[in-house]
Amino acid sequence: MLQGTIFRNWIYYLSPVFYIWGEAAAQIVYTITEESSPSNSVGNLAKDLHLDVNELEARGFQISGPNTRYFEVNVKTGVLLVKDRIDREELCSRNVKCSLEVEAIVSSPLNLYRFEVKILDVNDNAPSFRIPEVVLNVSESAFPGEKFALPKAFDADVGSYSVKSYKLSQNEHFTLDVQNVGEPTMSAEMALHKNLDREKQAVIKLTLTATDGGKPPKSGTLHITVNVQDVNDNIPEFDKPLYKATVVENTPRGASVISVHARDLDEGLNGEIQYSFINQDNDNDVDKFAINPITGEITVNGELDHEKHSAVEIRVQAKDKGQNPRASHCKVLIEITDVNDNPPEISVTSLANLVREDASLDTMVGLLTVKDYDADKNGIVQVRILDSVPFKIKNTYKNHYSLVVDGTLDRERASQYNLTLMATDEGLPPLSSTSVITVHVSDVNDNAPHFTDPVINIFVKENGPVGTVIYTMSADDPDVDENAKVTFQVINNNKQDVIGSVINVNSETGDIISLQSFNYEELKTFQFKVQATDSGVPPLSSNVTVNVFILDENDNSPTILAPYSEHGSVNSENIPYSAEAGYFVAKIRAVDADSGYNALLSYHLSEPKGNNLFRIGTSTGEIRTRRRMSDNDLKTHPLVVLVSDNGEPSLSATVSIDVVVVESTAEIQTQFRHVPVKEDSFSDLNLYLLIAIVSVSVIFLLSLITLIAVRCHRTDGTFSRYSAPMITTHPDGSWSYSKATQQYDVCFSSDTLKSDVVVFPAPFPPVDGELISINGGDTFTRTQTLPNKEKVRYKIEY
């Protein structure tokens, strides 16, 4: 049972203090006697470790390590209890100091506490002799003072409970000489006190009693029978009573250790000496050596192990060969020195299953224990990690180490580390061992979703079906599980309601779905932003700009412009019979709401069969005569103008014109057609255009008058041969001046601030006069093809 109150000591070491999770804790030492009954209290462990008793059970507080057999902890009270019988002799043999290192572990967070339990000896073993009786043959001629070796008593207890005294039974011939000076164990010798007389007493019975230091003491006895023999007067004498030798533990068999020597003054057989070991205790360690009976040389006879026995004590006997041999003995103390023959052993006490990638420096990952059974420097071990990894080894207490974080972890770079640990001792040569442990790194949401491009351009055809997936978005997230689960949503849009009615983004798949059929003529492009957000805590996100471009399709037919586009109107034009080839009849204007090739228009003319009097510019829409009139030509020519775009498939529109042939130009009256004008607010641009038109008109009139005067002068008054001059206005804003064989065209555009004024004579106007193409940006490209013959050109920019 426990002796009084539990003894506790807090030992503060000057060497590196044992750290658990970054907090220092002193070593706790409890003291208990061996053979304590199970369930006996050792101490309040929870109190001494400053743990909350109410949390012990939930945190799994328990005893761990190799000594769980002997101790357990009550998680209700935190008291350390004896679990099983403790036999000090079984645990520590005859070592003076006997203690158990005990570990207690607790989780949430993981902590390991170490403390020491000293086992105190009780006097539960009595001294005993390995043999019950010893027989000594003593010559009657033995001299007083002659000593006789006696077996040593053995007591499993140590310290004050070991053998403390020997006592010889009362007799008149022998006394007891106890030796305990600087020797490992106490031994006794029997010395002759008074000469023997075999004739008086041939056999002497004695009893040797060994007593320990217990209270009350315990004892053991040995029976001694002394046979008194006659004759041999001298005993062998050793050179010294104690021999000392040193031998390394890996010394091979047969190697010499030391030689002993004794002399006998007798002659003949009485002076011849034989050497032998006195192994009355049947000590196996003595059998590891052998002695030459003639020379006294002691050699190695077995395998030596410093870790098991660091020294061996041998008693050597020298006996003569007389009829009644006489003997003496000496002691040989052989020290077995250590050789570095044991590599260190690495064992993992505890290892965390997962380590967060944002773990801070010195976060504990695992606990290690390293053992080396060699002694001195051969048992001093250094532990290190061979790999270049963000971890390091810290010595926490004696041969205990902790594996801690020593750098930045990134699961995306390495999700696990295979650490190769090497333990190396300081022996010569050093021995080492390795152990590989695996540390897994758990994911933390430290990576935002990533779009491949900062801007996504989507091209969608107009008139597509509603609900079509026009694009599927994707974002990469190097995290895993929920941290890599990405959802999408439209953000930061001032026209959220408008965008929300046009497209929808599937938050799970990233599909962009059209909610309406797009019309290029109404909406050419729009933009919005999409945010990708992961499901981590806290969530991370990134944005991307999405541009949607509507691609034009040929879904609009050409539209004929006024004056030929009025519903229900009769389109007719008059030409004189005397019209020359190339005479201007009419100009058809059309536009197409599409763009590009879908808005590139061409004009084609359909005449009655066999009539080839007229032609039309495929790009300008100008109808002109191919030749002069003949008497066989009809007076009225119905023409059908087909306007086609360049789309796939091509769309077209038609307009019908009746061309009436009159006898003279006097019958041709200038027709004024009302062109509908859209009433817009009068702006600065309108003002500039008005000024430009007036300026161009004035310049045109002056130029026209000058040309007419020059022409009249050159023809010597032949102007009267021609019909009266005619000025015709066209719906597109161009004017035509013509007479019998001469025509001047002035064209300008009202859609830009820069216009060209072109005046040229055209006796034979070109087939193609002008090509108008409407580009995607609502701008016009105007190409003017001029005649090859004589021409006058004036260009004014404003």
Side-chain angles (χ1 to χ4, degrees):
M1 59 180 294
L2 293 176
Q3 298 179 349
T5 306
I6 300 299
F7 172 73
R8 301 181 182 90
N9 286 325
W10 296 84
I11 302 175
Y12 295 89
Y13 292 87
L14 294 178
S15 59
V17 181
F18 178 60
Y19 285 90
I20 295 297
W21 299 104
E23 296 182 2
Q27 178 74 0
I28 301 174
V29 180
Y30 295 101
T31 303
I32 188 174
T33 58
E34 68 172 333
E35 303 298 340
S36 296
S37 301
S39 300
N40 275 10
S41 173
V42 179
N44 193 327
L45 186 58
K47 179 181 178 181
D48 294 335
L49 295 178
H50 304 290
L51 297 176
D52 190 348
V53 176
N54 298 325
E55 297 178 355
L56 295 182
E57 187 171 3
R59 295 180 65 187
F61 188 57
Q62 60 179 345
I63 301 300
S64 63
N67 295 316
T68 55
R69 167 187 169 186
Y70 301 108
F71 300 98
E72 62 182 357
V73 66
N74 187 332
V75 294
K76 302 294 184 182
T77 62
V79 175
L80 181 67
L81 303 175
V82 176
K83 183 179 179 182
D84 195 6
R85 173 180 173 270
I86 300 176
D87 188 350
R88 183 188 181 284
E89 288 72 29
E90 179 183 349
L91 293 174
C92 303
S93 185
R94 292 186 53 80
N95 291 329
V96 177
K97 295 182 179 180
C98 182
S99 61
L100 296 177
E101 288 187 2
V102 186
E103 299 173 353
I105 194 169
V106 64
S107 60
S108 299
L110 176 65
N111 278 304
L112 179 69
Y113 302 93
R114 296 186 178 89
F115 56 94
E116 183 177 351
V117 179
K118 289 186 176 181
I119 309 301
L120 299 181
D121 191 22
V122 296
N123 193 22
D124 57 342
N125 294 281
S128 63
F129 295 88
R130 286 188 170 90
I131 56 176
E133 182 180 3
V134 63
V135 178
L136 299 178
N137 296 317
V138 182
S139 174
E140 65 175 350
S141 60
F143 296 104
E146 185 176 352
K147 296 181 179 180
F148 305 91
L150 298 176
K152 292 184 295 183
F154 175 80
D155 194 333
D157 298 322
V158 295
S160 61
Y161 299 133
S162 61
V163 176
K164 294 300 180 183
S165 64
Y166 289 93
K167 183 179 180 182
L168 188 64
S169 59
Q170 187 67 34
N171 69 93
E172 62 177 339
H173 294 286
F174 297 94
T175 60
L176 196 63
D177 184 10
V178 179
Q179 299 175 353
N180 191 26
V181 180
E183 297 180 12
T185 59
M186 177 180 290
S187 61
E189 296 179 344
M190 190 172 65
L192 183 61
H193 176 68
K194 182 181 179 181
N195 290 332
L196 301 175
D197 188 354
R198 191 186 63 82
E199 286 72 20
K200 290 183 177 180
Q201 189 177 4
V203 177
I204 302 174
K205 299 287 187 180
L206 301 174
T207 301
L208 179 63
T209 302
T211 306
D212 62 21
K215 294 181 181 181
K218 295 185 178 183
S219 61
T221 59
L222 172 69
H223 297 289
I224 302 173
T225 300
V226 179
N227 294 322
V228 181
Q229 296 180 340
D230 201 10
V231 186
N232 211 347
D233 297 334
N234 295 287
I235 62 173
E237 294 184 1
F238 284 94
D239 294 341
K240 49 185 178 180
L242 178 63
Y243 291 84
K244 292 184 178 181
T246 300
V247 61
V248 295
E249 62 178 338
N250 62 350
T251 302
R253 291 175 181 267
S256 176
V257 178
I258 194 174
S259 294
V260 297
H261 181 262
R263 294 180 299 169
D264 194 321
L265 298 178
D266 293 327
E267 293 183 355
L269 294 178
N270 292 333
E272 293 182 11
I273 298 175
Q274 286 184 327
Y275 300 96
S276 62
F277 291 152
I278 302 175
N279 190 12
Q280 297 169 329
D281 299 330
N282 294 325
D283 191 351
N284 293 331
D285 293 334
V286 176
D287 295 337
K288 298 182 183 300
F289 298 92
I291 188 169
N292 188 313
I294 304 302
T295 63
E297 182 184 18
I298 298 176
T299 57
V300 177
N301 191 42
E303 184 178 351
L304 306 181
D305 192 346
H306 171 83
E307 287 69 43
K308 293 182 178 179
H309 298 281
S310 59
V312 177
E313 181 183 295
I314 303 175
R315 287 194 288 178
V316 180
Q317 175 180 266
K319 181 185 289 188
D320 59 31
K321 297 182 179 180
Q323 186 177 0
N324 296 312
R326 303 183 68 180
S328 64
H329 69 277
C330 70
K331 288 185 180 181
V332 178
L333 184 61
I334 301 176
E335 181 183 0
I336 302 174
T337 58
D338 185 47
V339 172
N340 193 24
D341 57 350
N342 290 284
E345 296 179 0
I346 302 174
S347 60
V348 179
T349 305
S350 179
L351 183 65
N353 292 330
L354 290 173
V355 180
R356 288 172 57 92
E357 63 177 323
D358 61 349
S360 59
L361 296 178
D362 290 333
T363 298
M364 183 177 291
V365 178
L367 301 174
L368 313 172
T369 301
V370 181
K371 292 183 179 180
D372 193 317
Y373 293 100
D374 292 320
D376 301 328
K377 287 188 175 182
N378 296 330
I380 299 177
V381 180
Q382 301 295 331
V383 184
R384 61 190 178 95
I385 302 176
L386 295 182
D387 315 278
S388 178
V389 293
F391 300 94
K392 68 178 180 180
I393 298 294
K394 293 177 64 177
N395 181 252
T396 54
Y397 175 74
K398 294 184 179 178
N399 61 335
H400 300 285
Y401 300 83
S402 61
L403 177 66
V404 298
V405 177
D406 189 42
T408 302
L409 303 179
D410 189 349
R411 190 208 62 80
E412 287 69 44
R413 289 186 176 181
S415 60
Q416 73 176 34
Y417 293 89
N418 295 320
L419 309 182
T420 302
L421 309 180
M422 172 176 281
T424 306
D425 59 31
E426 296 185 3
L428 292 175
L431 297 180
S432 61
S433 62
T434 59
S435 177
V436 178
I437 63 175
T438 301
V439 177
H440 297 274
V441 181
S442 64
D443 186 48
V444 172
N445 191 27
D446 55 351
N447 290 281
H450 173 69
F451 290 98
T452 305
D453 300 311
V455 177
I456 298 176
N457 295 324
I458 305 174
F459 298 90
V460 183
K461 290 185 178 181
E462 66 172 334
N463 303 320
V466 177
T468 301
V469 177
I470 63 175
Y471 190 81
T472 299
M473 309 191 68
S474 64
D476 298 326
D477 195 318
D479 295 322
V480 295
D481 300 331
E482 290 299 317
N483 295 333
K485 185 178 180 181
V486 180
T487 58
F488 303 89
Q489 64 175 347
V490 179
I491 61 161
N492 295 335
N493 188 42
N494 295 330
K495 299 180 181 179
Q496 183 65 38
D497 295 336
V498 176
I499 295 300
S501 63
V502 174
I503 57 95
N504 179 52
V505 177
N506 188 308
S507 62
E508 299 295 331
T509 63
D511 292 340
I512 301 178
I513 304 171
S514 63
L515 299 181
Q516 67 178 33
S517 180
F518 298 108
N519 188 348
Y520 174 82
E521 289 70 39
E522 295 179 358
L523 179 65
K524 294 181 175 56
T525 182
F526 61 92
Q527 183 185 87
F528 59 93
K529 287 187 177 181
V530 175
Q531 183 180 77
T533 306
D534 59 32
S535 301
V537 178
L540 300 177
S541 62
S542 61
N543 302 335
V544 66
T545 300
V546 180
N547 294 319
V548 179
F549 298 96
I550 310 302
L551 301 179
D552 182 50
E553 288 192 344
N554 193 24
D555 58 347
N556 291 281
S557 299
T559 300
I560 307 298
L561 297 178
Y564 302 108
S565 60
E566 294 182 2
H567 296 290
S569 62
V570 177
N571 300 316
S572 64
E573 295 289 346
N574 297 328
I575 62 172
Y577 177 79
S578 60
E580 298 290 339
Y583 182 83
F584 180 84
V585 178
K587 186 177 182 68
I588 306 301
R589 292 287 185 179
V591 294
D592 195 315
D594 294 320
S595 65
Y597 283 99
N598 295 330
L600 183 61
L601 303 180
S602 61
Y603 301 85
H604 306 278
L605 184 64
S606 175
E607 293 185 73
K609 191 172 183 181
N611 188 356
N612 60 350
L613 182 58
F614 301 97
R615 61 180 174 82
I616 189 171
T618 57
S619 59
T620 63
E622 292 182 355
I623 301 175
R624 296 179 183 272
T625 58
R626 288 181 179 271
R627 56 182 174 79
R628 291 180 60 86
M629 297 290 179
S630 68
D631 296 336
N632 295 328
D633 292 327
L634 299 175
K635 297 302 180 181
T636 301
H637 299 269
L639 303 179
V640 179
V641 178
L642 175 68
V643 183
S644 303
D645 59 28
N646 207 36
E648 289 292 340
S650 176
L651 299 179
S652 62
T654 61
V655 62
S656 298
I657 301 176
D658 292 336
V659 180
V660 179
V661 180
V662 297
E663 291 299 327
S664 65
T665 58
E667 301 178 19
I668 302 176
Q669 297 179 356
T670 302
Q671 299 179 3
F672 296 94
R673 299 179 184 270
H674 175 70
V675 179
V677 179
K678 184 177 179 181
E679 295 183 0
D680 293 330
S681 59
F682 195 79
S683 63
D684 292 340
L685 179 60
N686 299 132
L687 178 61
Y688 297 150
L689 291 176
L690 181 60
I691 296 173
I693 292 173
V694 172
S695 302
V696 170
S697 300
V698 172
I699 296 173
F700 166 71
L701 291 175
L702 294 176
S703 301
L704 187 61
I705 294 171
T706 303
L707 289 173
I708 293 173
V710 173
R711 187 67 175 176
C712 292
H713 177 72
R714 289 176 59 186
T715 56
D716 297 326
T718 60
F719 183 73
S720 59
R721 292 188 299 110
Y722 295 94
S723 302
M726 179 177 65
I727 298 176
T728 303
T729 61
H730 298 284
D732 62 347
S734 63
W735 297 343
S736 296
Y737 167 82
S738 65
K739 54 183 179 177
T741 59
Q742 195 76 22
Q743 178 177 321
Y744 298 89
D745 284 357
V746 178
C747 300
F748 67 92
S749 173
S750 62
D751 58 349
T752 62
L753 295 179
K754 180 184 288 187
S755 297
D756 292 340
V757 177
V758 180
V759 180
F760 58 88
F764 300 100
V767 176
D768 295 334
E770 182 174 329
L771 174 62
I772 301 176
S773 176
I774 303 177
N775 296 326
D778 289 337
T779 60
F780 295 87
T781 301
R782 187 182 299 270
T783 305
Q784 181 71 51
T785 304
L786 301 179
N788 294 327
K789 293 189 175 183
E790 179 184 358
K791 59 181 180 286
V792 180
R793 178 183 179 95
Y794 298 88
K795 182 175 182 180
I796 301 175
E797 297 184 359
Y798 60 93

